Amino acid sequence: GWKDAINTTIINFNNEKMQITWAARELFPSENVSFFYTFDEGKHKVWKPCPTYLLHQDYNSGCLFKTEGPTLAISIRNSNGSEELFSKRLKSDFYIKPNRPENVTFFWKEDTVTVSCNKPERAVKCLRLELQYKSKFDKDWQSRTSKCCSVGEQGFDPRKCYSFRVRLKRLVPYCNVVNYSSDWEAETFWMNGTLLDSCDDDIKSQSKTVIFLSCFLAVLLMILILLILLCKWQRLQKSVMPAIPDPKYVFADLFNDHNGNFQEWIDKTAHAMVQTKPEYEEPECIIEAESQQEDEKNSDKQGSQEKIFSFSRAAENNDPKAAQIACLMPTSNTIASFAGFQILMNNDMYVML
């Protein structure tokens, strides 16, 4: 009974080629066995030797041959083929491993993806199309199986990149005694209906976008800080070094019409005022008490200070500007400050400092 207990692996590649393998070193440690097979039925079988052996440590560990029918008989014998060590009869159709799906297409509609492939020529009813997918945030594959040869799935996020792979499976136990599936079709990467080389491209593009936005925000922040510092600097500059008023804006006619000639400007202004006001009105002046005048006379004598102007002289000369200046001036000073100017008055001369 030990002959029936030998484990063999039987694979029928898409009903085109058969592969039978066994554990040569464990089962037959002292002998290099030979392999024979036949697809004939009945008593008159024609055994064929293995055309292609599979080797393991220089020992025959398997055989590869063409599939020629649904019923297969195999025989493992000693090295010269005179003694049978193991035999078995089987249905080759129950060990089929399908080929990869061909011409796989992806159809996207909003959050739904439909995957389809070409129908195989044989045993379509025994096949199922399996779709597996995962996003860059998933660790494990998500699986969905449907009849050959189309499968659809919903709930895909257009903002994520997904990896897809598909394969064909044989139904167990109705069509196969072993759960064989095809090899996976080449993995593809999709994002919102767009085929990508890899999901790393999406990560790189997002990282580039983040870097660009970060740099842009940093530049805006620096510009804002510079503007704030500039405003504060201008305020500090104004408080520490106040702006000196320009006299040409205060006395525009003095500089524009008389080219800075103060005497000419005074004369013309006085003449214009005399024409507009034929009767001159003496400006009000606060006349101090006689005691104060005596004190001022005494102080003038002690300090040897000379009064340059008096109200009576201004009135006699009909000079309104001079009268105004005389009213504004303290009588004890020889230099008056008027509208940003320092004016030295001596007799009938006005000198602007």
Side-chain angles (χ1 to χ4, degrees):
W2 66 272
K3 293 181 181 181
D4 296 332
I6 293 176
N7 290 328
T8 57
T9 302
I10 304 167
I11 303 176
N12 184 358
F13 291 102
N14 200 40
N15 212 22
E16 296 173 357
K17 288 185 178 182
M18 296 292 300
Q19 177 180 292
I20 313 295
T21 57
W22 56 87
R25 300 296 293 164
E26 289 79 3
L27 297 175
F28 312 105
S30 60
E31 189 173 9
N32 195 9
V33 298
S34 59
F35 181 84
F36 294 85
Y37 71 95
T38 181
F39 286 94
D40 297 331
E41 297 183 8
K43 294 180 180 180
H44 304 284
K45 297 178 181 179
V46 179
W47 292 94
K48 298 179 182 180
C50 178
T52 305
Y53 278 103
L54 304 177
L55 301 179
H56 177 66
Q57 297 180 356
D58 296 332
Y59 280 82
N60 295 335
S61 62
C63 181
L64 186 65
F65 53 95
K66 184 179 180 180
T67 304
E68 299 176 1
T71 303
L72 173 66
I74 61 174
S75 176
I76 298 177
R77 303 176 185 180
N78 58 6
S79 57
N80 57 17
S82 61
E83 182 184 358
E84 185 177 81
L85 303 177
F86 173 74
S87 64
K88 186 175 183 178
R89 294 181 69 252
L90 54 97
K91 291 289 185 180
S92 62
D93 292 345
F94 288 170
Y95 295 87
I96 293 178
K97 179 179 180 178
N99 289 337
R100 292 178 179 178
E102 298 179 353
N103 193 23
V104 179
T105 58
F106 289 80
F107 177 73
W108 288 73
K109 186 177 181 180
E110 296 179 355
D111 66 338
T112 303
V113 178
T114 303
V115 184
S116 59
C117 66
N118 291 345
K119 289 185 178 181
E121 297 179 356
R122 301 175 183 175
V124 177
K125 293 181 179 181
C126 289
L127 296 175
R128 293 292 181 268
L129 182 63
E130 182 182 9
L131 169 67
Q132 287 191 348
Y133 60 91
K134 66 177 180 179
S135 71
K136 58 186 178 182
F137 303 103
D138 299 328
K139 294 182 179 180
D140 301 325
W141 290 94
Q142 307 294 323
S143 183
R144 178 69 183 269
T145 304
S146 183
K147 293 182 179 180
C148 186
C149 291
S150 179
V151 58
E153 184 63 30
Q154 296 178 342
F156 290 97
D157 191 344
R159 297 169 296 180
K160 295 181 181 179
C161 179
Y162 291 90
S163 303
F164 290 92
R165 62 182 185 181
V166 292
R167 67 179 178 180
L168 291 173
K169 298 178 64 175
R170 289 274 294 188
L171 287 177
V172 177
Y174 304 105
C175 299
N176 263 31
V177 294
V178 182
N179 189 13
Y180 282 147
S181 301
S182 71
D183 295 333
W184 290 105
E185 181 62 13
E187 187 175 348
T188 57
F189 306 92
W190 295 80
M191 181 177 178
N192 195 20
T194 303
L195 180 63
L196 303 176
D197 293 334
S198 68
C199 284
D200 295 336
D201 297 339
D202 176 50
I203 297 174
K204 291 179 181 179
S205 62
Q206 289 185 353
S207 63
K208 290 181 180 179
T209 304
V210 171
I211 293 173
F212 175 76
L213 291 177
S214 301
C215 294
F216 182 71
L217 292 176
V219 171
L220 289 180
L221 182 60
M222 290 179 63
I223 293 174
L224 180 60
I225 293 174
L226 290 176
L227 290 176
I228 294 174
L229 292 177
L230 181 61
C231 293
K232 289 186 175 293
W233 169 251
Q234 290 179 350
R235 291 181 180 178
L236 179 63
Q237 191 176 19
K238 288 181 179 179
S239 61
V240 175
M241 295 180 292
I244 300 173
D246 195 341
K248 69 179 180 180
Y249 297 111
V250 180
F251 303 101
D253 53 348
L254 171 62
F255 291 94
N256 295 335
D257 300 337
H258 303 283
N259 198 21
N261 192 328
F262 185 77
Q263 183 63 45
E264 182 181 345
W265 173 67
I266 287 290
D267 294 340
K268 188 172 182 179
T269 305
H271 180 67
M273 293 183 65
V274 168
Q275 290 180 354
T276 54
K277 295 183 179 181
E279 293 182 0
Y280 176 75
E281 294 181 4
E282 293 183 356
E284 292 185 2
C285 288
I286 301 174
I287 302 175
E288 298 178 352
E290 294 180 357
S291 60
Q292 293 179 354
Q293 291 179 357
E294 292 177 358
D295 294 337
E296 289 176 356
K297 289 180 181 179
N298 295 330
S299 62
D300 290 342
K301 292 178 181 179
Q302 294 175 2
S304 298
Q305 295 181 355
E306 180 183 359
K307 294 184 180 179
I308 305 304
F309 267 109
S310 66
F311 175 74
S312 60
R313 179 179 295 274
E316 290 173 0
N317 293 335
N318 292 327
D319 194 341
K321 286 286 183 178
Q324 292 176 7
I325 294 173
C327 289
L328 294 173
M329 284 182 55
T331 58
S332 60
N333 293 334
T334 60
I335 298 176
S337 177
F338 179 69
F341 291 93
Q342 288 184 344
I343 303 173
L344 176 62
M345 292 163 285
N346 186 8
N347 295 331
D348 294 333
M349 297 295 293
Y350 311 104
V351 180
M352 180 178 63
L353 300 180

